[in-house]
Amino acid sequence: MANIIDGKKISQEIKDELKAEVEGIKSRGEKVPCLAVIQVGNDPASTVYVSNKKKACEYIGIGSKSFELKEETTQDELLNLIDDLNNDDEVTGILVQLPVPKHIDEDLIIRRIDPKKDVDGFHPMSVGALLIGEKGFLSCTPAGVIQLLKRSGVEIAGKDCVVIGRSNIVGKPMSVLLLRENGTVTICHSKTKDLKEVCKRADILVVAIGKPKMIDASYIKEGAVVIDVGIHRMENGKLCGDVDYESAEKQASFITPVPGGVGPMTIAMLMKNCVEATKLF
Ligand code: GUN
């Protein structure tokens, strides 16, 4: 039976550390971080995420400004709002909840956010800085995975790390962060030959494949650490990940559950980026 990596507990620890840091910032009279959150339309999942982000700001004691725009908002209107927030000295971080409606070009929106306020870490400047080891905002989910590993006492240096998935938001930054921690990294994707064989070499397996319960024990080396980035709602209403948990936990030494694994870490790391925004550049 694997040890469970408790993302809820670890994310709470991080939020409490940040809360103490913000108290320090306030007591010294320094600039208090403030996150602007923009949601276009009313996708129910986005509404839940946005509400959780605002609650997290409140918890750690930083400001937040909320912009709930109607579905029909034009791209120019959204770009103008981003420009205003880029120029607003009170706002230290800007987040546009994704996905945006189809008539809006997501890449254009991401590129319009001032990299100094890009707390999601999605801007090409942030991604490029990560790649060459310069200071910049880290993409929240992969940064959260590194924290889960470190705070669970999992050594990354020298380990064979396999990442399944090559998205800009998870797979690619995840691979670079593991490399930065001196892991030996392999990235797998839909064209990978013999996925199972590659996965079975992993000491640390990070799964961000987007297919419910696809990775079972037959993909996992005995004693491997398994991190499940996926989240899906099953027909019975329950949540599951990309990993078949019941099967995988018999092979793994450490495993993240879904829910309560990687998910809560994304918001904790967003809050970390928000607090760092005032001192990063
Ligand atoms: N939609 C789903 N996850 C995220 C995220 O981490 N940031 C933003 N901006 N949108 C999302």
Side-chain angles (χ1 to χ4, degrees):
M1 278 254 288
N3 295 295
I4 296 172
I5 298 180
D6 186 345
K8 248 179 116 170
K9 180 164 156 268
I10 295 173
S11 67
Q12 189 61 47
E13 278 168 22
I14 292 172
K15 282 190 285 186
D16 285 336
E17 290 164 14
L18 292 169
K19 191 178 163 117
E21 195 174 335
V22 172
E23 278 161 13
I25 288 172
K26 288 181 177 168
S27 70
R28 293 189 297 273
E30 292 168 8
K31 185 168 177 143
V32 178
C34 174
L35 174 66
V37 183
I38 306 173
Q39 182 182 358
V40 188
N42 36 34
D43 173 68
S46 290
T47 303
V48 174
Y49 287 134
V50 164
S51 149
N52 288 340
K53 287 169 188 178
K54 287 188 285 197
K55 274 188 217 153
C57 288
E58 213 169 295
Y59 182 77
I60 68 164
I62 68 173
S64 72
K65 290 188 177 188
S66 186
F67 299 86
E68 282 140 33
L69 309 182
K70 53 188 191 311
E71 180 84 19
E72 308 78 52
T73 302
T74 66
Q75 182 168 284
D76 279 345
E77 284 170 332
L78 180 55
L79 289 171
N80 286 338
L81 173 58
I82 293 171
D83 288 342
D84 289 346
L85 296 170
N86 281 340
N87 293 322
D88 183 338
D89 284 341
E90 195 189 334
V91 170
T92 54
I94 303 171
L95 180 150
V96 179
Q97 185 65 27
L98 304 176
V100 285
K102 286 197 181 61
H103 64 275
I104 296 175
D105 179 348
E106 188 172 293
D107 288 340
L108 193 65
I109 299 304
I110 289 172
R111 281 164 175 73
R112 193 67 157 242
I113 295 170
D114 183 340
K116 293 189 178 65
K117 299 188 179 186
D118 174 39
V119 286
D120 258 328
F122 292 167
H123 192 289
M125 286 278 287
S126 305
V127 179
L130 165 64
L131 194 59
I132 60 175
E134 287 191 355
K135 61 185 177 184
F137 292 107
L138 299 179
S139 187
C140 302
T141 300
V145 171
I146 297 292
Q147 286 300 313
L148 285 178
L149 293 170
K150 286 190 169 175
R151 289 173 187 246
S152 303
V154 175
E155 176 84 32
I156 303 171
K159 294 291 170 61
D160 283 320
C161 304
V162 173
V163 178
I164 321 181
R166 55 174 160 181
S167 70
N168 289 339
I169 288 176
V170 182
K172 282 180 201 160
M174 186 74 253
S175 310
V176 177
L177 283 176
L178 289 165
L179 179 63
R180 201 157 96 166
E181 297 295 333
N182 298 311
T184 302
V185 184
T186 305
I187 309 173
C188 297
H189 45 78
S190 56
K191 298 282 191 293
T192 297
K193 278 189 288 178
D194 204 349
L195 179 66
K196 197 173 274 192
E197 186 270 327
V198 180
C199 290
K200 283 207 85 140
R201 284 191 243 142
D203 301 311
I204 299 172
L205 180 64
V206 181
V207 189
I209 204 171
K211 292 192 180 143
K213 295 192 180 190
M214 180 175 154
I215 300 302
D216 64 15
S218 67
Y219 288 77
I220 298 167
K221 177 166 80 178
E222 192 177 352
V225 177
V226 178
I227 305 289
D228 188 353
V229 182
I231 185 152
H232 312 273
R233 195 166 292 280
M234 295 183 285
E235 275 179 5
N236 64 8
K238 288 194 173 160
L239 295 171
C240 75
D242 293 350
V243 173
D244 181 350
Y245 186 89
E246 283 70 32
S247 164
E249 66 139 5
K250 297 188 178 79
Q251 280 288 96
S253 60
F254 285 89
I255 189 166
T256 58
V258 177
V262 173
M265 295 301 290
T266 301
I267 291 190
M269 300 317 286
L270 172 70
M271 292 301 111
K272 188 165 169 52
N273 279 348
C274 288
V275 173
E276 278 179 0
T278 52
K279 54 186 182 193
L280 192 57
F281 294 99

